[in-house]
Amino acid sequence: DTTRIVEAQAAFDAVFFTNIVKNHVDRPSGSQLAATSLDAFQSSYGVRKVLPSGMTVSGQYQLNRTKTSLSYQNINPEYTSNLVLEMRQPMLRRFGIDYNRSLILVARNDRRISQHAFERQVRDTLRQVDELYWRLVQARRDVTITARLLADFQAIYEYLEARQQFDITPVQLAATRANLEQAKADFITRRANVFNAEDRLVAVMNAQDVNLAEETEIIPEDLPQTPRLVVDRLAEVQTALDNREEIKEQELRGANAKIAVGRAKNGELPRFDLTFRQTYDGLGVSADRSFDEVTRGHFIEYFVGVEFEMPIGNRGPNAAHQRSRLQYFQAIASLKKVFEDVILDVNLTTRALSTSYDQIRPSFEAAEAREREVESTVARAERKDIATLNSELGARQGLASARRAMIGAMVDYNIAVIDLE
């Protein structure tokens, strides 16, 4: 987009142009006043530039050499030189600095939009890295909880297997074995979740020294923090409205749409151009002599012209103006929608922040209560029957669920803090 600014500014750069023509004519003639042979060489060299007002100024030097078989020609070959200075100024359509520099303003706004989009992408990437980091913390902790539960499950199954000759029926042992194998499958899934979380984090980081094709283990060093963050929702909303890149991007798009309305409105005007041309002429037996004649200024031509053009009905420009106005209204409506989306984001994030924090303490107390339940069930009797063992297993499963809920609430709280930032 920076290069597009230069491209728009380059419309006012001077342009060098040249035109060289060699023409040889050899045809019969029915009059002695018309030559049968003509050898003509024409060349022109000049510079042309567009000014911010829309005026096109140009200056060119023309050199022509003509050699003919006409016997009445006094100078043969003859050289003519012309210095032509021309100004063409639109008076209605394409007139004015605002119109002719509008594309530069659009390009600058596009560059600012790209800058905001880049900053938003950086912000979103940082947020995604933080979230995936905490999800990795949660996944590793989940594997630890599941491993403990699986170890307890395995111990209970071995205990039942040792007593199958006494009071454990094959049906009870088979049911416990099925639950054990299901727990092992669950552990494999949760272990795979750790590898998936590591790969996602590596992919988002896109670090040059870490390759997804290699087996990379990421061990988090930080634990979720749980200090209460007190926020003022209205202040957070105002901060978001003042700083969010999405709003600034849409405001710039609205500015571009407004510029487009002005350009389309200018396009409805008829074309009314004024042209002024001044030509210095010179003639001689050589190129030098004809050029010297031009510098003396003995022969000067003046030309003033007016051009007018207007489409009958003017339907095309009118439709373009109407479309640009509708696009401008659409940009304004989109800006309002962005405002509403930002306010919604802040409301949801502040509510999630409060909710996740409020869930931490109940989750912690639930985990402690489940742990006491497990201890009470284990200490209930030395010789455990199948009902007591199933009750112990259920208590341990409840403890694992409570621990998962507690780490989930802590991770969600840290992610909510990131979202609020």
Side-chain angles (χ1 to χ4, degrees):
D1 283 330
T2 301
T3 62
R4 289 191 175 96
I5 296 177
V6 179
E7 183 179 358
Q9 293 172 339
F12 300 102
D13 291 350
V15 178
F16 172 79
F17 62 91
T18 181
N19 185 24
I20 300 176
V21 176
K22 172 70 173 177
N23 187 20
H24 179 75
V25 178
D26 188 10
R27 59 173 173 242
S29 174
S31 172
Q32 293 183 354
L33 300 178
T36 59
S37 177
L38 176 66
D39 187 9
F41 176 82
Q42 301 173 350
S43 63
S44 61
Y45 316 88
V47 177
R48 180 174 58 250
K49 180 177 176 60
V50 179
L51 301 180
S53 64
M55 176 185 291
T56 302
V57 296
S58 63
Q60 61 175 314
Y61 173 72
Q62 299 174 347
L63 176 62
N64 301 324
R65 175 187 177 276
T66 304
K67 184 178 180 181
T68 179
S69 61
L70 189 62
S71 59
Y72 297 103
Q73 190 78 21
N74 293 328
I75 301 176
N76 192 16
E78 70 172 16
Y79 290 84
T80 58
S81 296
N82 308 101
L83 179 61
V84 183
L85 304 177
E86 181 178 294
M87 295 181 295
R88 179 185 292 267
Q89 175 63 59
M91 301 304 297
L92 293 177
R93 190 190 304 171
R94 299 182 180 276
F95 170 79
I97 296 178
D98 292 341
Y99 175 85
N100 289 280
R101 292 185 60 86
S102 60
L103 294 181
I104 298 178
L105 297 179
V106 170
R108 287 176 177 171
N109 288 341
D110 287 340
R111 183 191 182 281
R112 293 172 62 188
I113 290 174
S114 294
Q115 180 66 29
H116 289 307
F118 172 73
E119 293 173 358
R120 175 163 50 86
Q121 185 174 358
V122 171
R123 180 197 71 195
D124 293 342
T125 301
L126 291 174
R127 186 260 178 210
Q128 189 176 12
V129 170
D130 277 342
E131 180 184 5
L132 292 177
Y133 176 86
W134 291 120
R135 293 305 180 192
L136 176 60
V137 172
Q138 182 179 6
R140 296 183 72 93
R141 181 60 181 169
D142 193 14
V143 166
T144 302
I145 295 172
T146 306
R148 290 179 179 176
L149 177 62
L150 183 60
D152 295 335
F153 212 143
Q154 183 69 34
I156 291 176
Y157 175 76
E158 292 176 355
Y159 180 79
L160 293 177
E161 189 178 27
R163 293 174 50 187
Q164 63 178 338
Q165 300 296 331
F166 300 97
D167 57 352
I168 301 300
T169 64
V171 174
Q172 294 172 335
L173 185 62
T176 305
R177 176 63 182 272
N179 293 332
L180 175 61
E181 297 300 328
Q182 185 176 0
K184 290 181 179 180
D186 182 60
F187 174 77
I188 293 174
T189 300
R190 296 180 186 276
R191 185 179 60 181
N193 291 338
V194 174
F195 299 142
N196 294 337
E198 290 176 341
D199 288 344
R200 292 190 184 99
L201 183 56
V202 170
V204 173
M205 289 191 303
N206 197 22
Q208 295 182 357
D209 55 345
V210 181
N211 189 353
L212 265 176
E214 301 175 354
E215 293 186 2
T216 303
E217 184 177 11
I218 300 178
I219 302 177
E221 295 182 353
D222 298 330
L223 296 177
Q225 303 298 315
T226 58
R228 185 175 187 86
L229 184 63
V230 181
V231 297
D232 183 353
R233 188 184 65 84
L234 294 180
E236 301 297 337
V237 168
Q238 187 60 49
T239 301
L241 295 178
D242 292 339
N243 296 280
R244 284 286 287 268
E245 286 82 2
E246 298 92 324
I247 296 177
K248 298 177 182 178
E249 291 176 36
Q250 192 57 42
E251 288 176 345
L252 291 171
R253 292 190 181 97
N256 284 349
K258 188 174 183 180
I259 293 174
V261 172
R263 288 180 60 86
K265 186 177 181 180
N266 181 273
E268 288 183 309
L269 299 175
R271 187 171 70 87
F272 182 70
D273 298 347
L274 297 180
T275 302
F276 174 79
R277 185 185 308 121
Q278 184 174 349
T279 305
Y280 296 85
D281 299 325
L283 176 65
V285 297
S286 65
D288 294 339
R289 295 291 294 273
S290 64
F291 181 77
D292 291 341
E293 189 68 25
V294 169
T295 58
R296 293 189 179 95
H298 291 164
F299 301 93
I300 304 176
E301 301 179 42
Y302 297 97
F303 172 85
V304 178
V306 177
E307 295 183 48
F308 181 82
E309 175 187 283
M310 183 174 183
I312 298 176
N314 210 25
R315 295 195 306 162
N318 291 339
H321 185 203
Q322 178 67 12
R323 181 177 65 253
S324 65
R325 292 179 70 251
L326 294 175
Q327 290 173 341
Y328 173 69
F329 295 147
Q330 188 179 39
I332 297 301
S334 298
L335 178 60
K336 182 180 178 181
K337 181 65 167 57
V338 172
F339 273 110
E340 294 174 351
D341 290 342
V342 169
I343 295 174
L344 176 62
D345 285 345
V346 175
N347 290 338
L348 295 180
T349 302
T350 53
R351 189 175 297 112
L353 185 71
S354 176
T355 302
S356 57
Y357 182 82
D358 293 340
Q359 289 176 342
I360 293 177
R361 183 173 182 82
S363 299
F364 178 77
E365 293 180 351
E368 286 190 333
R370 288 291 185 180
E371 190 169 2
R372 289 192 296 270
E373 179 186 4
V374 170
E375 293 174 354
S376 300
T377 303
V378 172
R380 185 177 303 172
E382 293 184 359
R383 184 178 179 278
K384 303 175 183 179
D385 55 12
I386 185 65
T388 304
L389 291 176
N390 286 333
S391 177
E392 178 185 345
L393 182 58
R396 293 187 182 277
Q397 289 176 333
L399 174 60
S401 299
R403 287 172 174 172
R404 293 192 186 103
M406 181 180 66
I407 188 64
M410 297 172 66
V411 168
D412 289 341
Y413 177 72
N414 282 260
I415 293 176
V417 172
I418 299 168
D419 287 336
L420 181 62
E421 294 177 354

